Amino acid sequence: MTTILHFEKLADPADRKRLQPYREQIHAWVYITKDELNLGQVPHAFYHNNLEIVEAWTEADEIRFYKQLEEVPGDDWMVVLVQPFYIMKRLRLVRAR
């Protein structure tokens, strides 16, 4: 079974330059705004199609969807790919945990 920890282990550091080649392949960039929400929880919810929790996070502004990479805040993130989304959180927030 795919767990939250599994997705945390899949996270890679990335910046805009590294993600540029994937811009046309991604439906949306999902940016985690809540510090307490870890990088494994969000891709886990997407992978298991838990739309209720994704909707709750979105309504609470704990995650945001961006159509363009250029719109995403920051420049350095930890990212997890769950096609067709890149789930991302600022690198400094992930390392601070």
Side-chain angles (χ1 to χ4, degrees):
M1 179 167 194
T2 307
T3 65
I4 291 171
L5 182 59
H6 171 83
F7 285 103
E8 288 176 4
K9 290 179 179 181
L10 291 175
D12 288 312
D15 58 19
R16 288 186 198 283
K17 183 178 177 182
R18 187 170 183 184
L19 295 174
Q20 285 292 3
Y22 307 104
R23 286 176 41 218
E24 301 304 318
Q25 301 170 19
I26 299 302
H27 178 70
W29 307 87
V30 182
Y31 179 70
I32 301 170
T33 61
K34 184 177 182 181
D35 291 349
E36 295 80 18
L37 194 56
N38 76 43
L39 192 54
Q41 289 173 286
V42 178
H44 183 265
F46 274 86
Y47 181 82
H48 291 288
N49 206 27
N50 190 343
L51 300 180
E52 290 178 8
I53 190 71
V54 171
E55 185 176 325
W57 288 332
T58 303
E59 288 176 2
D61 200 34
E62 296 173 358
I63 64 173
R64 294 182 188 154
F65 290 81
Y66 294 94
K67 288 300 249 178
Q68 303 295 324
L69 177 60
E70 294 76 20
E71 298 171 345
V72 180
D75 290 313
D76 295 306
W77 310 278
M78 287 296 285
V79 300
V80 176
L81 176 63
V82 178
Q83 280 288 8
F85 304 102
Y86 255 114
I87 316 296
M88 51 208 326
K89 187 170 186 174
R90 282 205 173 160
L91 184 61
R92 67 177 172 78
L93 296 177
V94 174
R95 289 193 173 156
R97 293 188 121 229

